[in-house]
Short mmCIF file of all heavy atoms in Angstrom, two decimals:
data_model
loop_
_atom_site.label_atom_id
_atom_site.label_comp_id
_atom_site.label_asym_id
_atom_site.label_seq_id
_atom_site.Cartn_x
_atom_site.Cartn_y
_atom_site.Cartn_z
N LYS A 210 -25.38 26.39 -6.21
CA LYS A 210 -25.40 26.71 -4.78
C LYS A 210 -25.09 28.18 -4.56
O LYS A 210 -24.21 28.75 -5.20
CB LYS A 210 -24.36 25.87 -4.04
CG LYS A 210 -24.64 24.37 -4.09
CD LYS A 210 -23.58 23.60 -3.32
CE LYS A 210 -23.85 22.10 -3.35
NZ LYS A 210 -22.81 21.34 -2.62
N LEU A 211 -25.85 28.79 -3.66
CA LEU A 211 -25.62 30.17 -3.30
C LEU A 211 -24.36 30.27 -2.45
O LEU A 211 -24.20 29.53 -1.48
CB LEU A 211 -26.82 30.73 -2.53
CG LEU A 211 -26.73 32.18 -2.07
CD1 LEU A 211 -26.68 33.12 -3.27
CD2 LEU A 211 -27.93 32.52 -1.19
N ILE A 212 -23.46 31.19 -2.81
CA ILE A 212 -22.22 31.39 -2.06
C ILE A 212 -22.45 32.46 -1.00
O ILE A 212 -22.73 33.62 -1.33
CB ILE A 212 -21.08 31.81 -3.01
CG1 ILE A 212 -20.90 30.78 -4.13
CG2 ILE A 212 -19.78 31.99 -2.23
CD1 ILE A 212 -20.61 29.38 -3.67
N ASP A 213 -22.33 32.09 0.26
CA ASP A 213 -22.62 33.01 1.35
C ASP A 213 -21.59 34.13 1.44
O ASP A 213 -21.94 35.28 1.73
CB ASP A 213 -22.69 32.26 2.68
CG ASP A 213 -23.87 31.30 2.74
OD1 ASP A 213 -24.92 31.61 2.12
OD2 ASP A 213 -23.74 30.24 3.38
N GLU A 214 -20.31 33.79 1.23
CA GLU A 214 -19.24 34.77 1.34
C GLU A 214 -18.44 34.78 0.03
O GLU A 214 -17.40 34.13 -0.07
CB GLU A 214 -18.32 34.43 2.51
CG GLU A 214 -19.00 34.45 3.88
CD GLU A 214 -19.39 35.87 4.30
OE1 GLU A 214 -18.84 36.84 3.70
OE2 GLU A 214 -20.24 36.01 5.19
N PRO A 215 -18.91 35.52 -0.98
CA PRO A 215 -18.23 35.52 -2.29
C PRO A 215 -16.75 35.88 -2.22
O PRO A 215 -15.94 35.33 -2.96
CB PRO A 215 -19.02 36.56 -3.08
CG PRO A 215 -20.38 36.53 -2.47
CD PRO A 215 -20.13 36.32 -1.01
N ALA A 216 -16.39 36.79 -1.31
CA ALA A 216 -14.99 37.22 -1.23
C ALA A 216 -14.06 36.08 -0.84
O ALA A 216 -12.88 36.07 -1.21
CB ALA A 216 -14.86 38.37 -0.24
N ASP A 217 -14.57 35.11 -0.09
CA ASP A 217 -13.75 33.99 0.38
C ASP A 217 -13.85 32.76 -0.51
O ASP A 217 -13.15 31.77 -0.27
CB ASP A 217 -14.17 33.60 1.81
CG ASP A 217 -13.99 34.74 2.80
OD1 ASP A 217 -13.07 35.55 2.59
OD2 ASP A 217 -14.78 34.82 3.76
N TRP A 218 -14.71 32.81 -1.49
CA TRP A 218 -14.96 31.63 -2.32
C TRP A 218 -13.88 31.43 -3.38
O TRP A 218 -13.36 32.38 -3.96
CB TRP A 218 -16.31 31.76 -3.01
CG TRP A 218 -16.57 30.73 -4.07
CD1 TRP A 218 -16.93 29.44 -3.87
CD2 TRP A 218 -16.45 30.91 -5.48
NE1 TRP A 218 -17.06 28.79 -5.08
CE2 TRP A 218 -16.76 29.67 -6.08
CE3 TRP A 218 -16.11 31.99 -6.29
CZ2 TRP A 218 -16.76 29.49 -7.46
CZ3 TRP A 218 -16.10 31.81 -7.66
CH2 TRP A 218 -16.43 30.58 -8.23
N GLU A 219 -13.51 30.18 -3.60
CA GLU A 219 -12.61 29.80 -4.69
C GLU A 219 -13.22 28.62 -5.44
O GLU A 219 -13.88 27.77 -4.83
CB GLU A 219 -11.23 29.39 -4.15
CG GLU A 219 -10.41 30.55 -3.61
CD GLU A 219 -9.90 31.47 -4.71
OE1 GLU A 219 -9.78 31.01 -5.86
OE2 GLU A 219 -9.63 32.64 -4.40
N PRO A 220 -13.01 28.54 -6.75
CA PRO A 220 -13.52 27.39 -7.50
C PRO A 220 -12.86 26.09 -7.05
O PRO A 220 -11.81 26.08 -6.42
CB PRO A 220 -13.12 27.72 -8.95
CG PRO A 220 -12.83 29.18 -8.97
CD PRO A 220 -12.32 29.51 -7.61
N GLU A 221 -13.50 24.98 -7.42
CA GLU A 221 -12.92 23.66 -7.17
C GLU A 221 -12.03 23.31 -8.35
O GLU A 221 -12.47 22.71 -9.32
CB GLU A 221 -14.05 22.62 -7.01
CG GLU A 221 -14.93 22.82 -5.81
CD GLU A 221 -14.22 22.55 -4.49
OE1 GLU A 221 -13.14 21.90 -4.53
OE2 GLU A 221 -14.72 22.98 -3.45
N TYR A 222 -10.77 23.70 -8.24
CA TYR A 222 -9.85 23.53 -9.36
C TYR A 222 -9.62 22.06 -9.70
O TYR A 222 -9.27 21.72 -10.83
CB TYR A 222 -8.52 24.19 -9.05
CG TYR A 222 -8.62 25.68 -8.84
CD1 TYR A 222 -8.56 26.22 -7.56
CD2 TYR A 222 -8.81 26.54 -9.91
CE1 TYR A 222 -8.67 27.58 -7.35
CE2 TYR A 222 -8.92 27.92 -9.71
CZ TYR A 222 -8.84 28.43 -8.44
OH TYR A 222 -8.96 29.77 -8.26
N GLY A 223 -9.85 21.17 -8.75
CA GLY A 223 -9.63 19.76 -8.99
C GLY A 223 -8.26 19.31 -8.56
O GLY A 223 -8.10 18.22 -8.00
N ARG A 224 -7.26 20.13 -8.82
CA ARG A 224 -5.90 19.86 -8.37
C ARG A 224 -5.11 21.15 -8.53
O ARG A 224 -5.56 22.09 -9.21
CB ARG A 224 -5.25 18.74 -9.16
CG ARG A 224 -5.03 19.05 -10.63
CD ARG A 224 -4.47 17.83 -11.35
NE ARG A 224 -4.29 18.10 -12.76
CZ ARG A 224 -4.20 17.15 -13.67
NH1 ARG A 224 -4.29 15.89 -13.32
NH2 ARG A 224 -4.05 17.45 -14.93
N PRO A 225 -3.94 21.26 -7.94
CA PRO A 225 -3.16 22.50 -8.04
C PRO A 225 -2.73 22.79 -9.48
O PRO A 225 -2.68 21.90 -10.33
CB PRO A 225 -1.94 22.21 -7.15
CG PRO A 225 -2.36 21.11 -6.26
CD PRO A 225 -3.32 20.28 -7.05
#
Side-chain angles (χ1 to χ4, degrees):
K210 296 181 180 179
L211 180 65
I212 304 302
D213 294 328
E214 298 291 342
D217 299 329
W218 170 78
E219 289 289 336
E221 295 291 343
Y222 298 104
R224 65 184 178 201

